[in-house]
Amino acid sequence: MVLGRKWVLKHHFTGNPKPEDFDLVEEKLPPLEENEIQFRSLFLSVDPYMRSYTKRMTPPFTMIGSSVAEVEESKHPSYPKGSTIIILAGWIERGIVNPDKMGMASPGNTLGGVMKAADMGTLSKSLLLGACGMPGNTAYFGLLEICKPKAGDTVVVSGAAGAVGSLVGQIAKIKGCKVIGYAGTDEKCQWLKSIGFDEAFNYKKVGVKESLAKAAPAGVDCYFDNVGGEMSAAVMSLMNTRGRVAVCGAISHYNEVGGYSKVTDVLPLCVGKELMVEGFLVGRWKARWMEGVTAMAGWVMKGEIKVRETVVEGFDKMPFAFMGLFTGDNTGKMVVRA
């Protein structure tokens, strides 16, 4: 008898995620049927998007998310036993799926899927969930396709010490830009400077508008926004005419109760400065996915992009790793080693 474990979200989140929102469920796994695979997760991802995405789903359900996994048994010709996969099956330690049917019952028929893992050489497979995976492609395509930075541009990144923000800044440096980041601790700001950011500010200690006015006296050309709220209003007030804004996330709002809080209206700035503001989901570039993975892996291997991970040990710690995203516990990508 083979047992599997998974984390179930019992009800919608109210405010910050809490341990009592989840149940750890053990289940007996049935024999494989045609085209099914049995997998075991090696590393699992926790990401802020999970908090907002679950609002459109009906609990209880297996908590959403992706993992790097090993195929333990297989009756599917494309995924032989022993192969490494990226699987969007949720917070599952060991489970059975049919790759051909995954996602069909999810919102938009998009939540779920299996992809053969790229050969990472000497790099850790955990990077397939970070710099060489979804966060890496979010940074790569979001910055290059929406902000379209040019050498000499000034680029500002909020949430700069996170999984995406830290990569955005380094890509911008590769493209010859001046990069200014905002993070929530002095230690994170020191790390950002060590990986190439020209300036890094602790937004809890300095005013965004005042610090940015001094750091970017000629104005801001590109803003990669992971945070939203008043920080975004402050940055956009200092942008140059026809500046470009890539709206990746709004983590400042994710745990609010009773609807989003009121913040400064940025529409007058968008009109007066002719700003180009675009929100995006990285799935837009699904057809070019391996382009981003290959580019990011190449920069990492050459040392042009430096990666830091926050690794939590043990599948039973999944909720605590997730909760830590909203209290600033991670520097770089947060992953759980199962």
Side-chain angles (χ1 to χ4, degrees), residues 185-196:
T185 69
D186 292 342
E187 292 75 17
K188 289 181 178 180
C189 290
Q190 291 169 5
W191 175 64
L192 290 174
K193 288 186 176 181
S194 76
I195 62 174

Side-chain angles (χ1 to χ4, degrees), residues 206-281:
V206 302
V208 174
K209 196 168 184 178
E210 294 74 18
S211 59
L212 188 54
K214 292 180 181 178
V220 175
D221 302 294
C222 303
Y223 176 38
F224 196 100
D225 188 5
N226 292 301
V227 173
E230 291 299 333
M231 180 178 291
S232 296
V235 174
M236 292 169 72
S237 73
L238 296 173
M239 294 192 72
N240 293 323
T241 299
R242 304 287 292 171
R244 290 88 69 199
V245 181
V247 183
C248 175
I251 196 171
S252 65
H253 292 295
Y254 289 166
N255 292 317
E256 291 178 342
V257 178
Y260 295 142
S261 61
K262 292 183 179 180
V263 298
T264 300
D265 188 357
V266 298
L267 288 181
L269 297 172
C270 295
V271 175
K273 293 175 175 286
E274 299 183 272
L275 301 180
M276 293 174 281
V277 182
E278 185 174 344
F280 72 96
L281 299 174

Side-chain angles (χ1 to χ4, degrees), residues 26-317:
E26 186 175 79
E27 57 186 358
K28 180 181 177 180
L29 300 182
L32 289 185
E33 297 182 0
E34 185 179 2
N35 289 329
E36 289 186 334
I37 61 172
Q38 177 182 305
F39 68 93
R40 178 178 64 85
S41 293
L42 307 175
F43 294 94
L44 297 101
S45 180
V46 289
D47 302 280
Y49 84 85
M50 299 172 180
R51 171 66 175 80
S52 57
Y53 200 101
T54 56
K55 291 179 181 179
R56 67 185 87 173
M57 302 173 69
T58 303
F61 54 80
T62 302
M63 183 59 185
I64 62 174
S66 57
S67 65
V68 179
E70 178 184 356
V71 177
E72 292 185 315
E73 301 292 341
S74 178
K75 288 191 175 181
H76 195 293
S78 298
Y79 304 99
K81 180 178 180 179
S83 58
T84 302
I85 57 174
I86 312 298
I87 182 168
L88 187 59
W91 292 7
I92 297 176
E93 183 180 40
R94 176 179 277 111
I96 291 174
V97 297
N98 182 331
D100 301 331
K101 295 182 179 180
M102 289 185 71
M104 291 184 179
S106 69
N109 297 325
T110 59
L111 188 63
V114 180
M115 179 187 302
K116 293 180 181 178
D119 183 2
M120 296 297 288
T122 59
L123 299 178
S124 171
K125 291 180 180 179
S126 61
L127 295 186
L128 290 165
L129 300 175
C132 304
M134 184 270 289
N137 275 355
T138 301
Y140 179 84
F141 290 112
L143 179 69
L144 300 182
E145 296 293 324
I146 296 177
C147 284
K148 300 184 185 299
K150 303 183 296 292
D153 279 352
T154 295
V155 177
V156 174
V157 186
S158 61
V164 174
S166 58
L167 301 174
V168 169
Q170 293 182 82
I171 297 170
K173 289 302 297 180
I174 290 171
K175 298 300 179 180
C177 301
K178 177 179 181 178
V179 180
I180 301 167
Y182 284 88
T185 69
D186 292 342
E187 292 75 17
K188 289 181 178 180
C189 290
Q190 291 169 5
W191 175 64
L192 290 174
K193 288 186 176 181
S194 76
I195 62 174
F197 280 63
D198 296 285
E199 299 285 354
F201 296 104
N202 182 345
Y203 68 87
K204 295 178 181 178
K205 291 187 173 181
V206 302
V208 174
K209 196 168 184 178
E210 294 74 18
S211 59
L212 188 54
K214 292 180 181 178
V220 175
D221 302 294
C222 303
Y223 176 38
F224 196 100
D225 188 5
N226 292 301
V227 173
E230 291 299 333
M231 180 178 291
S232 296
V235 174
M236 292 169 72
S237 73
L238 296 173
M239 294 192 72
N240 293 323
T241 299
R242 304 287 292 171
R244 290 88 69 199
V245 181
V247 183
C248 175
I251 196 171
S252 65
H253 292 295
Y254 289 166
N255 292 317
E256 291 178 342
V257 178
Y260 295 142
S261 61
K262 292 183 179 180
V263 298
T264 300
D265 188 357
V266 298
L267 288 181
L269 297 172
C270 295
V271 175
K273 293 175 175 286
E274 299 183 272
L275 301 180
M276 293 174 281
V277 182
E278 185 174 344
F280 72 96
L281 299 174
V282 71
R284 180 192 308 185
W285 294 282
K286 182 178 180 180
R288 296 171 58 189
W289 198 260
M290 290 311 299
E291 172 194 332
V293 171
T294 301
M296 294 299 294
W299 282 329
V300 172
M301 289 178 184
K302 290 188 290 185
E304 294 184 74
I305 285 183
K306 298 175 177 63
V307 177
R308 179 179 289 188
E309 295 177 301
T310 300
V311 181
V312 176
E313 298 288 345
F315 183 72
D316 57 324
K317 298 294 195 301

